[in-house]
Amino acid sequence: MKTKVMALLLALLMLSSCVLFGCATGTEGGAGGGAGGNATAGEAEDPKEKYDAEIKNLNGHEFRFYAPEATSEHYRGHEIYAEAPNGDKVNDAVFQRNAQLQQIYNCTIVMDGSVGSKVD
């Protein structure tokens, strides 16, 4: 009997904390709350406001990634480097990301596959 009462009190305590703290968010964002409640529907976020770190000029520094030559389609450095967009979602996203980084930071990103042994 004593354990049932304690279990009921704990359950009520947990539910009351959910009601008090769970419903307090989301008043500005409309129904459902969620992230991004401060932005209006027609207003686009400025990407420069997302990061407050200083954008540095790297003066053409070359970032070289070494990876073994791959004989398998599934084992390549395709998460790091892409030569050109080819219609593949991952490849195109990597290419776009690297192009953006190279433009913003004035650097180059290169992958060298001649180092190491071939992967089977």
Side-chain angles (χ1 to χ4, degrees):
M1 175 75 171
K2 195 174 189 179
T3 57
K4 289 182 182 180
V5 172
M6 286 298 284
L8 181 63
L9 286 174
L10 285 175
L12 288 174
L13 180 65
M14 288 174 30
L15 286 175
S16 65
S17 66
C18 289
V19 169
L20 290 175
F21 298 112
C23 296
T25 62
T27 56
E28 290 181 3
N38 294 336
T40 60
E43 181 181 326
E45 288 187 25
D46 187 15
K48 291 182 181 179
E49 291 180 4
K50 287 184 181 180
Y51 308 106
D52 59 351
E54 176 185 348
I55 295 178
K56 296 183 179 182
N57 183 0
L58 297 176
N59 298 319
H61 180 76
E62 181 177 82
F63 290 96
R64 183 171 291 272
F65 294 93
Y66 294 101
E69 291 181 17
T71 57
S72 171
E73 176 70 24
H74 300 291
Y75 182 77
R76 284 193 274 168
H78 67 272
E79 303 90 11
I80 299 169
Y81 180 76
E83 289 183 16
N86 65 3
D88 182 50
K89 289 181 180 181
V90 173
N91 182 77
D92 293 353
V94 168
F95 179 78
Q96 182 180 7
R97 177 201 62 200
N98 289 352
Q100 213 171 21
L101 289 173
Q102 291 176 27
Q103 180 184 11
I104 292 171
Y105 293 105
N106 186 22
C107 64
T108 57
I109 300 172
V110 179
M111 189 169 89
D112 189 0
S114 63
V115 177
S117 61
K118 286 193 173 191
V119 177
D120 293 323

